[in-house]
Amino acid sequence: MRSTTIKGPIGTIHIIEASPPVTAGESELLPVVFVHGMTVSASIWDVQLARVARTRRAIALDMRGHGDSAPPEDGNYAPASCAADVFAVLDGLGLDRVAIVGHSFGACIALATAAAPHRIAQLILADPPGDFTKVPAEVHEARIVPYQRALETEDWRAAVETSFNEALTGSTAQTRDRILACLAATPQDCLSGMSRGMFAFEAVDALDRYLAAPGTLAHAIIAPSNTFPFSLHILRPTLTTTTIPDTGHWLMLDAPEAFARELDICLEGV
């Protein structure tokens, strides 16, 4: 795997890239771009990068404010703004058309990137957070508003830890330790900025616009707990979905080989 940086709209973007042997017959297959979620970095995809790179080019980004990529000075973590970082990587690497895999908040970024469907041949959503704009008003006032307010207070870390522990239900001990360590190292402005972006993102509308374009493909790979009324595959039952049992939200860490096999199935023929 190679580590490098690319100039983005707000500063440098760090990427990890892996490619198949030059003798691989399938080396002209569609490249795959991986986008991680909150608090982690491109290294969360190491197992999947290695597997995909057996036959095709694979790239994972450190999203803005994560890993070795520059943070936004204005605190802008809106999915559309983060998608501009993805496009900068595609342009910097000379990639006209790719498959994109986005996990959690990274699924929101992948959906925002898919607004340019001529560049995204396939959209793979790994346990996407759903569309919070479709949450009933009473639930929004009772759950989301207090959480957003807590993120702006001195007690913000306790609120985030509670949320992350809920998402870690079903995860392995190793995954729990890794994610909580990443969370402890993430600053308040990053978490609050990404949370604002996620809660305001109209994910279903973005998915609908992508699927309305001819020749587009979308699939979700989810954990068993992703059964909320506002989950994308529930709001849009036509979104094909695979559930990986015995996993929490970070399913690519809980079951890396099973997740990689599902990617192989999704990418077959693309």
Side-chain angles (χ1 to χ4, degrees), residues 75-142:
N76 185 353
Y77 287 94
S81 297
C82 294
D85 300 338
V86 179
F87 287 125
V89 170
L90 299 186
D91 293 341
L93 296 177
L95 301 176
D96 293 327
R97 193 162 167 80
V98 299
I100 190 166
V101 182
H103 171 249
S104 191
F105 184 78
C108 297
I109 299 171
L111 281 162
T113 307
H118 62 284
R119 302 200 69 174
I120 305 301
Q122 184 168 25
L123 178 66
I124 301 174
L125 306 173
D127 214 41
D131 191 329
F132 288 95
T133 70
K134 307 302 183 187
V135 170
E138 61 274 16
V139 177
H140 184 271
E141 290 299 317

